[in-house]
Each structure stands twice: as C-alpha cells, then as structure tokens.
Amino acid sequence: MYNSFHLIRKDFIIVQKFILLLIPYYLVMGFTNFDNYTVFALLPAMLLLINSCTMDVQHNNQKFLVSLPVPRQQIVLAKYLAMLPYSILSYACTVLLYLVAFSAGRTTDPLAWRELLLCIAGFPLLASFYLPLHYWLGRKGTQVVNMVFIMLIMLNFAAIKQLMEWFPGLAEWVSNGSTDSPLVPVIADLGYVLILFCSYLISLRVFTAKDI
C-alpha cells in the first residue's frame, strides 16, 4: 500500500498542470450549460486518468517503474486506486460549481447529489474498459483509444437520460431515493464491483505478461 500511495502521488505530479485546466472548464460549463451540471463530474475524472496514462507512455514511465523493486501488481493497482482521488476531486469541483451558482442566484434547486453520485459512478465503469486497453495496446494504440473514450464521455449527456428511460427504478431512486425492490441496488452494487475486479485482473494479466 505504501508503494501504491507514492505511485498515485506520481500520477498527480504529472497531471498537476492539467488540473489547472479544470478551472476554465467549470467556468465555461457553469455559465453555458448549468442545467446539466451533474454530468460535468465525469469528464474531468476520466481526462485525468487518460492524461496520466498518456504521460506514462510518452515518458516511458512504465519501463522505469518495472526496473524498480516494485511488483507489477502494485503498479496496476495504483492506477485503479487513483480512481478514488480523481472521483473525489471531480465531485468537489462540481459541488463548488453548484454552490457558486446558488450564491449567485442562478439556481434555487437543491443539490442533485444522487444524480451527481450516479455520474461519478460512471467514471470507474468507463475506466474499467479503458485501462485493460491501455495496458494491452500501449504506445501504438494510445491515441486511438483516448479519442474513442473522449467521444464516449462527450455523449454522456444523452446516456444519462437514456439510462433513466431504460431503468425507471433508477430514475425513481434519483428523484426520491427509493426503489421498488431492495435487491436491485444490492445486485447492481455486486455487478459493479465484479466489473471493476475483472478489469483489474485482466489489466494485471496483460501487464505482467508484457515485455517492456
């Protein structure tokens, strides 16, 4: 865990300049499309992950890391654990945007925290598909994979609304916090964790077998 902490710290160091770009991002989005402020939390988190992976490839960080007495398992695990601070940062920035808009009188509605959590939860799911591809394709496929996932994120405005239409129970939970069956959230949570765990195992297998 000690090694994972320093690996996550390394990722934040290489993306620290990109974090500053979140300020104009939230300013522009907040003034042009505030009605959909909850979905703003997804793009920054995913872009931080993509940026850290891209910088690792460009600067051959993986080759340097495997030369250190650090197990490859720790290197992969750190990428997955980094989702948590990325999510927290995006969540905090979105809440701050809401508070500024509320203070300025741009909205009087309460914070849609359940919808915001739903959008935040979409980030690890996207990352669970992105990271195995990142470790598998490496330098040759990085740009293509990045472009595809950024386009997917851009479509998240419609995706959230579509999810609400496909799953009325999800829309009910977002609106009032209740569900028809208590088993539904339990099954959803188990499936969520299973996807992340399988993604980690695939990434670990690919990275362990990879000649860097």
PDB file of all heavy atoms in Angstrom, residues 57 130 133-134 136-147:
ATOM      1  N   VAL A  57       3.072   6.699 -21.008  1.00  0.00           N
ATOM      2  CA  VAL A  57       3.518   6.130 -22.284  1.00  0.00           C
ATOM      3  C   VAL A  57       4.542   7.039 -22.947  1.00  0.00           C
ATOM      4  O   VAL A  57       5.587   6.576 -23.432  1.00  0.00           O
ATOM      5  CB  VAL A  57       2.308   5.901 -23.223  1.00  0.00           C
ATOM      6  CG1 VAL A  57       2.780   5.520 -24.622  1.00  0.00           C
ATOM      7  CG2 VAL A  57       1.402   4.815 -22.662  1.00  0.00           C
ATOM      8  N   TYR A 130     -11.250   1.121 -20.145  1.00  0.00           N
ATOM      9  CA  TYR A 130     -10.111   1.868 -20.703  1.00  0.00           C
ATOM     10  C   TYR A 130      -8.766   1.265 -20.290  1.00  0.00           C
ATOM     11  O   TYR A 130      -7.872   1.083 -21.132  1.00  0.00           O
ATOM     12  CB  TYR A 130     -10.186   3.331 -20.259  1.00  0.00           C
ATOM     13  CG  TYR A 130      -8.964   4.130 -20.640  1.00  0.00           C
ATOM     14  CD1 TYR A 130      -8.821   4.642 -21.924  1.00  0.00           C
ATOM     15  CD2 TYR A 130      -7.942   4.362 -19.715  1.00  0.00           C
ATOM     16  CE1 TYR A 130      -7.697   5.369 -22.285  1.00  0.00           C
ATOM     17  CE2 TYR A 130      -6.815   5.085 -20.073  1.00  0.00           C
ATOM     18  CZ  TYR A 130      -6.699   5.579 -21.353  1.00  0.00           C
ATOM     19  OH  TYR A 130      -5.579   6.295 -21.708  1.00  0.00           O
ATOM     20  N   LEU A 133      -7.381  -1.862 -22.104  1.00  0.00           N
ATOM     21  CA  LEU A 133      -6.967  -1.488 -23.459  1.00  0.00           C
ATOM     22  C   LEU A 133      -5.662  -0.701 -23.429  1.00  0.00           C
ATOM     23  O   LEU A 133      -4.801  -0.867 -24.307  1.00  0.00           O
ATOM     24  CB  LEU A 133      -8.060  -0.657 -24.134  1.00  0.00           C
ATOM     25  CG  LEU A 133      -9.352  -1.410 -24.495  1.00  0.00           C
ATOM     26  CD1 LEU A 133     -10.397  -0.427 -24.997  1.00  0.00           C
ATOM     27  CD2 LEU A 133      -9.073  -2.474 -25.540  1.00  0.00           C
ATOM     28  N   HIS A 134      -5.518   0.136 -22.426  1.00  0.00           N
ATOM     29  CA  HIS A 134      -4.287   0.923 -22.278  1.00  0.00           C
ATOM     30  C   HIS A 134      -3.074   0.014 -22.094  1.00  0.00           C
ATOM     31  O   HIS A 134      -2.035   0.208 -22.744  1.00  0.00           O
ATOM     32  CB  HIS A 134      -4.433   1.868 -21.083  1.00  0.00           C
ATOM     33  CG  HIS A 134      -3.140   2.404 -20.566  1.00  0.00           C
ATOM     34  ND1 HIS A 134      -2.370   3.315 -21.264  1.00  0.00           N
ATOM     35  CD2 HIS A 134      -2.458   2.145 -19.413  1.00  0.00           C
ATOM     36  CE1 HIS A 134      -1.284   3.595 -20.576  1.00  0.00           C
ATOM     37  NE2 HIS A 134      -1.311   2.900 -19.448  1.00  0.00           N
ATOM     38  N   TRP A 136      -2.896  -3.162 -22.868  1.00  0.00           N
ATOM     39  CA  TRP A 136      -2.775  -4.089 -23.996  1.00  0.00           C
ATOM     40  C   TRP A 136      -2.173  -3.419 -25.230  1.00  0.00           C
ATOM     41  O   TRP A 136      -1.218  -3.918 -25.825  1.00  0.00           O
ATOM     42  CB  TRP A 136      -4.143  -4.673 -24.317  1.00  0.00           C
ATOM     43  CG  TRP A 136      -4.152  -5.577 -25.514  1.00  0.00           C
ATOM     44  CD1 TRP A 136      -3.221  -6.520 -25.852  1.00  0.00           C
ATOM     45  CD2 TRP A 136      -5.128  -5.616 -26.558  1.00  0.00           C
ATOM     46  NE1 TRP A 136      -3.557  -7.151 -27.026  1.00  0.00           N
ATOM     47  CE2 TRP A 136      -4.736  -6.617 -27.484  1.00  0.00           C
ATOM     48  CE3 TRP A 136      -6.317  -4.922 -26.787  1.00  0.00           C
ATOM     49  CZ2 TRP A 136      -5.484  -6.909 -28.629  1.00  0.00           C
ATOM     50  CZ3 TRP A 136      -7.068  -5.222 -27.919  1.00  0.00           C
ATOM     51  CH2 TRP A 136      -6.642  -6.205 -28.824  1.00  0.00           C
ATOM     52  N   LEU A 137      -2.699  -2.258 -25.610  1.00  0.00           N
ATOM     53  CA  LEU A 137      -2.269  -1.603 -26.850  1.00  0.00           C
ATOM     54  C   LEU A 137      -0.992  -0.794 -26.682  1.00  0.00           C
ATOM     55  O   LEU A 137      -0.216  -0.653 -27.619  1.00  0.00           O
ATOM     56  CB  LEU A 137      -3.395  -0.705 -27.376  1.00  0.00           C
ATOM     57  CG  LEU A 137      -4.685  -1.438 -27.769  1.00  0.00           C
ATOM     58  CD1 LEU A 137      -5.753  -0.449 -28.173  1.00  0.00           C
ATOM     59  CD2 LEU A 137      -4.411  -2.427 -28.893  1.00  0.00           C
ATOM     60  N   GLY A 138      -0.783  -0.237 -25.493  1.00  0.00           N
ATOM     61  CA  GLY A 138       0.445   0.519 -25.259  1.00  0.00           C
ATOM     62  C   GLY A 138       0.577   1.750 -26.132  1.00  0.00           C
ATOM     63  O   GLY A 138      -0.396   2.399 -26.488  1.00  0.00           O
ATOM     64  N   ARG A 139       1.811   2.042 -26.511  1.00  0.00           N
ATOM     65  CA  ARG A 139       2.112   3.266 -27.251  1.00  0.00           C
ATOM     66  C   ARG A 139       1.398   3.327 -28.604  1.00  0.00           C
ATOM     67  O   ARG A 139       0.926   4.382 -29.016  1.00  0.00           O
ATOM     68  CB  ARG A 139       3.629   3.375 -27.460  1.00  0.00           C
ATOM     69  CG  ARG A 139       4.056   4.627 -28.222  1.00  0.00           C
ATOM     70  CD  ARG A 139       5.561   4.609 -28.441  1.00  0.00           C
ATOM     71  NE  ARG A 139       6.275   4.726 -27.192  1.00  0.00           N
ATOM     72  CZ  ARG A 139       6.604   5.887 -26.634  1.00  0.00           C
ATOM     73  NH1 ARG A 139       6.281   7.030 -27.226  1.00  0.00           N
ATOM     74  NH2 ARG A 139       7.283   5.917 -25.508  1.00  0.00           N
ATOM     75  N   LYS A 140       1.297   2.199 -29.291  1.00  0.00           N
ATOM     76  CA  LYS A 140       0.744   2.204 -30.650  1.00  0.00           C
ATOM     77  C   LYS A 140      -0.736   2.581 -30.683  1.00  0.00           C
ATOM     78  O   LYS A 140      -1.180   3.258 -31.598  1.00  0.00           O
ATOM     79  CB  LYS A 140       0.936   0.833 -31.297  1.00  0.00           C
ATOM     80  CG  LYS A 140       2.394   0.463 -31.536  1.00  0.00           C
ATOM     81  CD  LYS A 140       2.520  -0.894 -32.197  1.00  0.00           C
ATOM     82  CE  LYS A 140       3.978  -1.257 -32.443  1.00  0.00           C
ATOM     83  NZ  LYS A 140       4.120  -2.600 -33.080  1.00  0.00           N
ATOM     84  N   GLY A 141      -1.491   2.136 -29.688  1.00  0.00           N
ATOM     85  CA  GLY A 141      -2.935   2.364 -29.745  1.00  0.00           C
ATOM     86  C   GLY A 141      -3.453   3.416 -28.792  1.00  0.00           C
ATOM     87  O   GLY A 141      -4.661   3.622 -28.702  1.00  0.00           O
ATOM     88  N   THR A 142      -2.547   4.094 -28.083  1.00  0.00           N
ATOM     89  CA  THR A 142      -2.969   5.043 -27.055  1.00  0.00           C
ATOM     90  C   THR A 142      -3.835   6.165 -27.613  1.00  0.00           C
ATOM     91  O   THR A 142      -4.904   6.479 -27.066  1.00  0.00           O
ATOM     92  CB  THR A 142      -1.739   5.643 -26.348  1.00  0.00           C
ATOM     93  OG1 THR A 142      -1.033   4.611 -25.662  1.00  0.00           O
ATOM     94  CG2 THR A 142      -2.160   6.710 -25.351  1.00  0.00           C
ATOM     95  N   GLN A 143      -3.396   6.785 -28.716  1.00  0.00           N
ATOM     96  CA  GLN A 143      -4.123   7.935 -29.258  1.00  0.00           C
ATOM     97  C   GLN A 143      -5.524   7.546 -29.724  1.00  0.00           C
ATOM     98  O   GLN A 143      -6.491   8.285 -29.493  1.00  0.00           O
ATOM     99  CB  GLN A 143      -3.330   8.550 -30.420  1.00  0.00           C
ATOM    100  CG  GLN A 143      -1.982   9.135 -30.038  1.00  0.00           C
ATOM    101  CD  GLN A 143      -2.103  10.226 -28.983  1.00  0.00           C
ATOM    102  OE1 GLN A 143      -3.059  10.994 -28.973  1.00  0.00           O
ATOM    103  NE2 GLN A 143      -1.123  10.296 -28.094  1.00  0.00           N
ATOM    104  N   VAL A 144      -5.634   6.385 -30.360  1.00  0.00           N
ATOM    105  CA  VAL A 144      -6.943   5.938 -30.851  1.00  0.00           C
ATOM    106  C   VAL A 144      -7.884   5.658 -29.685  1.00  0.00           C
ATOM    107  O   VAL A 144      -9.045   6.080 -29.676  1.00  0.00           O
ATOM    108  CB  VAL A 144      -6.789   4.677 -31.727  1.00  0.00           C
ATOM    109  CG1 VAL A 144      -8.155   4.156 -32.153  1.00  0.00           C
ATOM    110  CG2 VAL A 144      -5.939   4.989 -32.952  1.00  0.00           C
ATOM    111  N   VAL A 145      -7.375   4.936 -28.678  1.00  0.00           N
ATOM    112  CA  VAL A 145      -8.193   4.602 -27.507  1.00  0.00           C
ATOM    113  C   VAL A 145      -8.626   5.873 -26.785  1.00  0.00           C
ATOM    114  O   VAL A 145      -9.793   6.010 -26.380  1.00  0.00           O
ATOM    115  CB  VAL A 145      -7.417   3.677 -26.552  1.00  0.00           C
ATOM    116  CG1 VAL A 145      -8.194   3.473 -25.256  1.00  0.00           C
ATOM    117  CG2 VAL A 145      -7.140   2.342 -27.221  1.00  0.00           C
ATOM    118  N   ASN A 146      -7.712   6.815 -26.619  1.00  0.00           N
ATOM    119  CA  ASN A 146      -8.044   8.073 -25.956  1.00  0.00           C
ATOM    120  C   ASN A 146      -9.156   8.814 -26.689  1.00  0.00           C
ATOM    121  O   ASN A 146     -10.105   9.333 -26.080  1.00  0.00           O
ATOM    122  CB  ASN A 146      -6.809   8.966 -25.851  1.00  0.00           C
ATOM    123  CG  ASN A 146      -5.782   8.415 -24.877  1.00  0.00           C
ATOM    124  OD1 ASN A 146      -6.048   7.445 -24.156  1.00  0.00           O
ATOM    125  ND2 ASN A 146      -4.617   9.022 -24.843  1.00  0.00           N
ATOM    126  N   MET A 147      -9.051   8.873 -28.004  1.00  0.00           N
ATOM    127  CA  MET A 147     -10.044   9.590 -28.798  1.00  0.00           C
ATOM    128  C   MET A 147     -11.416   8.936 -28.676  1.00  0.00           C
ATOM    129  O   MET A 147     -12.432   9.632 -28.517  1.00  0.00           O
ATOM    130  CB  MET A 147      -9.617   9.623 -30.269  1.00  0.00           C
ATOM    131  CG  MET A 147     -10.522  10.464 -31.167  1.00  0.00           C
ATOM    132  SD  MET A 147      -9.911  10.507 -32.872  1.00  0.00           S
ATOM    133  CE  MET A 147      -8.278  11.226 -32.632  1.00  0.00           C
TER     134      MET A 147
END
